[in-house]
Amino acid sequence: MTHPETLVLSRKVLRVLIWLNLLVGVLILGLLVTSLVVGDQVMRTLTAGTPQANATLFMGMRLVALIGLCAVPIVHFILTRILAIVDTVSVGNPFVMANATRLQKIAWAVLILELSHLAVGAVAASVSTAAAPFDVNWSFSPTRWVAVLLLFVLARVFEQGAQMREELEGTV
Amino acid sequence: MAIIVTLDDMLHARRMTLTELSEKIGITLANLSILKTGKARAVRFSTLDAICGALECQPGDLLAFASTPQEEEIGQSV
């Protein structure tokens, strides 16, 4: 695959992911509102008994949904920033200070996502019981934390690159 | 304080146009124009080498240092 084709494909994939993320957001919001309006039916559908019997579990599920909902704008922020970086690559000028700032913001956003992932794990662990387990398929991944670190490093690399590029501009 | 580029004087002395110099040394007319008008922020040794070779001069013949605004104005008006 050639370089321009990769960029075109990346842009398409990112646009699809942006829409999918928004769709997930709408679905989570729908689930959250439904759980507030018709909680009994939702609990029966999820085979977790009535809300009265498992009030803590139900509250935990709502909290996880709320964390998921909060993650949607963060993911949207990340994806739109990546799209902006891809656009600068396609015009042949990626080493600009704006991209360094974007990468740093992405790094912070991914860090927030990782913290919210920890929060989901904590909520699930606190409300889950042997009688009514709450399995969110949670696992700790050091790779993601390394990715956060890598993003911060990459942001600094871009900043240095942008400074070098600025210095080179006007050189004959 | 400023560095004044005296490329225009050297071209005049050698009866050469900027376009001819550009063709001779393979540096774009746009870049040479930036250098000539004093808008360049830095000059590569390879550029100086090529210009000095083509104009048969020394780097000092192409650059001058103006310590006062008056000198700077004189340099730019030349």
Side-chain angles (χ1 to χ4, degrees):
Chain A
M1 195 179 284
T2 61
H3 181 65
E5 281 176 356
T6 314
L7 286 177
V8 171
L9 185 67
S10 303
R11 207 177 288 126
K12 280 178 184 168
V13 169
L14 282 165
R15 290 221 170 92
V16 169
L17 286 175
I18 287 168
W19 281 107
L20 278 177
N21 178 56
L22 292 174
L23 182 68
V24 167
V26 171
L27 290 174
I28 295 173
L29 183 66
L31 184 68
L32 199 61
V33 171
T34 312
S35 79
L36 291 168
V37 178
V38 281
D40 289 0
Q41 285 177 2
V42 173
M43 285 303 273
R44 270 186 222 106
T45 309
L46 296 170
T47 63
T50 60
Q52 290 77 25
N54 286 307
T56 316
L57 177 67
F58 202 48
M59 188 54 72
M61 289 166 78
R62 278 180 182 152
L63 207 55
V64 168
L66 191 66
I67 293 169
L69 195 63
C70 291
V72 171
I74 299 170
V75 172
H76 183 80
F77 179 86
I78 293 169
L79 292 173
T80 49
R81 294 312 172 279
I82 297 173
L83 191 62
I85 292 173
V86 169
D87 285 341
T88 61
V89 176
S90 58
V91 294
N93 193 22
F95 285 104
V96 288
M97 212 49 98
N99 276 352
T101 311
R102 282 182 189 124
L103 267 174
Q104 200 173 39
K105 284 178 179 172
I106 290 170
W108 281 109
V110 175
L111 180 65
I112 293 167
L113 280 184
E114 276 311 298
L115 290 173
S116 59
H117 183 250
L118 283 180
V120 166
V123 169
S126 63
V127 300
S128 188
T129 58
F134 183 29
D135 185 16
V136 287
N137 201 21
W138 192 90
S139 65
F140 179 78
S141 168
T143 314
R144 290 198 298 263
W145 286 95
V146 172
V148 172
L149 192 69
L150 190 67
L151 277 167
F152 276 110
V153 172
L154 208 58
R156 282 290 299 157
V157 170
F158 254 77
E159 198 181 323
Q160 295 271 329
Q163 280 172 357
M164 286 169 73
R165 179 75 188 254
E166 275 176 17
E167 279 176 18
L168 271 177
E169 274 175 16
T171 302
V172 177
Chain B
M1 291 192 294
I3 297 292
I4 298 161
V5 180
T6 54
L7 177 63
D8 213 20
D9 300 341
M10 284 308 298
L11 284 170
H12 191 257
R14 299 289 187 268
R15 299 281 183 269
M16 193 187 283
T17 64
L18 202 64
T19 311
E20 285 168 350
L21 180 66
S22 169
E23 284 166 359
K24 202 168 180 179
I25 63 176
I27 293 174
T28 62
L29 189 62
N31 271 344
L32 282 180
S33 183
I34 288 168
L35 182 63
K36 194 189 87 168
T37 51
K39 287 173 186 164
R41 287 168 63 187
V43 187
R44 289 191 185 91
F45 279 158
S46 57
T47 305
L48 273 179
D49 183 49
I51 295 173
C52 289
L55 297 178
E56 294 173 352
C57 65
Q58 292 299 313
D61 298 329
L62 298 167
L63 303 169
F65 174 67
S67 55
T68 61
Q70 287 80 11
E71 281 180 21
E72 210 176 312
E73 276 175 32
I74 292 164
Q76 282 167 353
S77 64
V78 174

